[in-house]
Amino acid sequence: MAWASLSDFLSMGGYGFYVWGSFLVFLICLVGEVVLVLNRRRTLLKQLSLTHKATKNEKNNETTT
Amino acid sequence: MAINWFKYSSPASFYSLAGKLIPIFSIVALILFVVGLYISFFVAPTDFQQSEAYRIIFIHVPAAWMSMFLYLIMAGWAAIGLAFNTRLSSMIATAIAPTGAMFTFLALWTGALWGKPMWGAWWVWDARLTSELILFFLYIGFMALQAAIDDPRRADKAGAVLALVGVVNIPIIYFSVKWWNTLHQGATVSLTESPKMASIMLTGMLIMSIACWMYSIAMVLIRTRTIILERERHTVWVSELHKETT
Amino acid sequence: MFLWVIQRDLLLAMRQRSDVLTTLFFFIIVVSLFPLGVGPEINMLRSMAPGVVWVAALLASMLSLERMFSSDYLDGTLEQMMLSPQPLILLVLGKALAHWMVTGVPLVLISPILGFQFDLQTDALLVLAVSLLLGTPVLSLIGAIGAALTLGLRGGGVLVSLLVLPLYIPVLIFGAGAVEAVSAGLGASAHLSLLGAFLLLSLVLAPWATAAALRISIE
């Protein structure tokens, strides 16, 4: 199924808007979801490390005093 | 040697197992997506009737399949979580919901965009579209219910009950094409009859479906790991795990 | 025990008469709003009537769902009831049917009168009443699941409607469909039989699910 030219490929037989519209949203949703989950994970890990450091400092203070 | 399944049922060991599996599934998903897209655009011939617009089928049908399939899987895990009181299975069910909702939205979106050139209307009130919309509301209801309950244990169980009650809706979707013989195109692909479309299109669509499936598994595993971390934050193994990473 | 629950709930409902009337008046007002909104043009109203009446019935029965368990939950009688040797399912069935009697039955009785507003023929009115008679208990039964799930949650009222509306849709489709089928001259028996099927299905499954939901909410 060779496309005559890039513009022909983009116009997609006149239905370009519909085809690319749906593929674009498909891509956006997938990539968006991945980004959201990884973002949620990063913030969580940062929180964990903060609480972790806090508990470590407390232990040090106890041992030193 | 019998695989001891219960070893992986505890969040800690599941966390590491999921960690190893995620890269595998995401790479496979990526490859399949590329292959699938290549087929759908460059290999599949122009459809005599719908010319190029039919190419949307390569994402519309997989998304619709995934939306229903993921709901069943979610209800399955929720049921296991409810019956065996295993926290992990409820976590997996909670992790599936957003991906399922996304695929339902995609199925509705691509369906509308495909319907416009074919039937001349963005939204047509026929059986299958309506049931897909109901499924979308069920996903949203599931997530809203889980968000509204603070205590995770109760949220899991309440969500499980709702998922099981909602699972009655899935057969309605599946058979709605047959019950109400309405506008929507008959099921082009069914396991019994021979496919009414060129085999190359069918393979393209199946590849895309498997790609979506791999993607969903990877996504659910990542989200499950995040939920495990969220819920087990004060446990010992999380802080140990944390020593290595920081 | 089953009859006791219904009798007790009816007594409670009768004492606060306002509960019964608010649902009824809500139903009447919503139904009469539509002609004002859409215009007095008769045959358009006639074609719209079944949908309007059914959606109003749906909303009216959902309005009072939240109070089904919450009053007992707050003053602790719900826990006592759950501790009783009687099966929880019977208790829940009783509560749902009591809710149906308080909200569903008045709607069924009033609906023919409201039908006149929409100039429905007598046979359409009859089928409207029968379809509501079959449909409203299903609404109460499924609604009971939603009410039990969202017991004691903040923003429970809105959440119930979000959970329960998707499950109401098949009942709405066939309920309104029955009346349309009759006014279009086709027999409504198919729709009514499906409504009856929904009723039986929910009579069996809904109390079990509500009981499970209650056990979860109460712990």
Side-chain angles (χ1 to χ4, degrees), chain C residues 133-156:
Chain C
L133 195 63
L134 278 173
T136 37
V138 181
L139 300 183
S140 302
L141 284 161
I142 299 177
I145 304 175
L149 279 174
T150 57
L151 205 53
L153 292 185
R154 62 188 184 291

Side-chain angles (χ1 to χ4, degrees), chain C residues 85-155:
Chain C
Q86 302 299 340
L88 188 54
I89 295 177
L90 259 186
L91 177 109
V92 161
L93 197 60
K95 270 222 168 289
L97 289 183
H99 172 264
W100 171 61
M101 285 183 195
V102 167
T103 52
V105 171
L107 299 194
V108 173
L109 300 176
I110 271 279
S111 62
I113 301 157
L114 291 178
F116 289 135
Q117 275 183 345
F118 292 82
D119 178 36
L120 281 176
Q121 275 64 32
T122 45
D123 56 353
L125 284 180
L126 186 66
V127 167
L128 178 68
V130 167
S131 65
L132 274 172
L133 195 63
L134 278 173
T136 37
V138 181
L139 300 183
S140 302
L141 284 161
I142 299 177
I145 304 175
L149 279 174
T150 57
L151 205 53
L153 292 185
R154 62 188 184 291

Side-chain angles (χ1 to χ4, degrees), chain A residues 16-47:
Chain A
F17 168 70
Y18 303 112
V19 173
W20 295 119
S22 35
F23 273 88
L24 210 65
V25 168
F26 189 84
L27 214 65
I28 292 168
C29 283
L30 257 62
V31 168
E33 199 188 10
V34 171
V35 164
L36 276 176
V37 171
L38 294 183
N39 193 320
R40 175 176 166 192
R41 220 177 113 73
R42 208 176 320 112
T43 42
L44 183 68
L45 286 177
K46 220 188 295 104
Q47 271 168 8

